[in-house]
Amino acid sequence: MHNFYRKAKFLLSCPSIKGCPEDAGYEVIFAGRSNAGKSSAINTLTEQKKLAKVSRTPGRTQHLVFFELDKDRRLVDLPGYGYAKVPDAVKQNWHRNMSEYFDNRKCMRAAILVMDCRHPLKPFDQMMLEWSITNKVPTNILLTKSDKLKKGAASSAKLAVMKATKDYPSISVQLFSSLKKEGVPELCSYLNKIFEVSNEG
Ligand code: GDP
């Protein structure tokens, strides 16, 4: 199957919502704790080795990064969160940017919330989920690094997260591995629905 997301190319990066592209078309954001595997997931999805930089120095990646799929559709890589060594001022700035983005960005259609399948639903993740529920943003939880668990343990991790979010039909959960390229078709079909792209690409 043709992968529409291979088309992704870097558009711009900006330190705050002020520098964002015009609020038009469709955007899907990628968010997650530092080190959860977000950059790797973006690179795996787009079949590009270096689109999102893997393992940038944590805490120094406060920019919002926009990748263009076509003139109406964009992926947005939000700065990683939850890294303890980040100074308070940077944390506050992150918080302000995120709440501004969630509250104001009309073209935001969905969120991909990346979590390490071995450590899901940490306090920051829960805060992101609360934001998406309050703002009615459909959210797909990507439980990454599934290759680190045996099959049974990975399914249990997924079931536990499904159970914890069962009251919210706008939240879905899937396993993903950048190392083993698992969960890519599932992520593509989730995004295709949101972006209104046919499964044939
Ligand atoms: P980010 O900070 O969320 O963008 O995380 P990265 O994508 O930079 O990944 C953090 C670390 O986890 C790196 O060392 C990656 O090689 C590793 N990693 C990411 N995804 C996977 C995966 O699916 N499986 C395994 N085994 N390691 C992964």
Side-chain angles (χ1 to χ4, degrees):
M1 187 174 61
H2 177 74
N3 177 356
F4 175 74
Y5 304 93
R6 283 171 71 172
K7 288 159 53 130
K9 56 174 194 270
F10 175 79
L11 178 64
L12 61 86
S13 91
C14 53
S16 82
I17 190 158
K18 283 193 203 79
C20 287
E22 191 196 343
D23 190 355
Y26 306 66
E27 264 169 26
V28 173
I29 62 149
F30 282 69
R33 293 173 59 80
S34 297
N35 216 35
K38 176 165 59 71
S39 308
S40 305
I42 292 172
N43 291 340
T44 300
L45 169 71
T46 58
E47 297 178 29
Q48 300 182 39
K49 286 199 172 69
K50 292 183 190 157
L51 188 65
K53 285 184 209 145
V54 175
S55 288
R56 297 173 288 189
T57 312
R60 288 185 52 203
T61 55
Q62 291 294 315
H63 280 215
L64 298 100
V65 183
F66 292 80
F67 303 111
E68 187 174 62
L69 297 163
D70 61 22
K71 73 177 182 36
D72 298 318
R73 299 175 174 90
R74 293 175 295 277
L75 302 174
V76 189
D77 185 6
L78 296 186
Y81 50 85
Y83 188 71
K85 286 184 191 150
V86 170
D88 278 352
V90 174
K91 282 185 194 160
Q92 282 159 14
N93 187 43
W94 181 90
H95 203 278
R96 192 168 52 240
N97 269 341
M98 291 308 100
S99 59
E100 255 185 356
Y101 187 92
F102 268 78
D103 292 345
N104 300 313
R105 195 79 175 156
K106 293 190 192 65
C107 64
M108 177 192 189
R109 297 300 168 94
I112 306 299
L113 191 46
V114 180
M115 300 178 202
D116 186 321
C117 65
R118 298 163 300 172
H119 318 284
L121 297 174
K122 295 279 186 192
F124 265 109
D125 300 321
Q126 301 199 14
M127 184 186 76
M128 292 300 289
L129 282 176
E130 277 161 28
W131 269 342
S132 32
I133 292 161
T134 316
N135 293 288
K136 299 192 170 55
V137 178
T139 299
N140 186 33
I141 298 177
L142 209 60
L143 295 174
T144 56
K145 310 193 191 182
S146 64
D147 57 277
K148 297 262 194 189
L149 293 177
K150 294 211 171 88
K151 236 181 155 94
S155 321
S156 307
K158 178 180 162 182
L159 280 174
V161 176
M162 284 172 73
K163 201 171 166 202
T165 54
K166 70 175 170 17
D167 293 338
Y168 306 101
S170 63
I171 297 177
S172 52
V173 186
Q174 70 156 105
L175 291 165
F176 192 87
S177 165
S178 291
L179 190 75
K180 295 275 168 70
K181 311 274 179 264
E182 279 167 9
V184 182
E186 211 176 330
L187 177 59
C188 286
S189 56
Y190 182 87
L191 291 171
N192 287 350
K193 274 191 210 122
I194 300 287
F195 280 126
E196 298 177 353
V197 170
S198 75
N199 271 325
E200 286 72 44

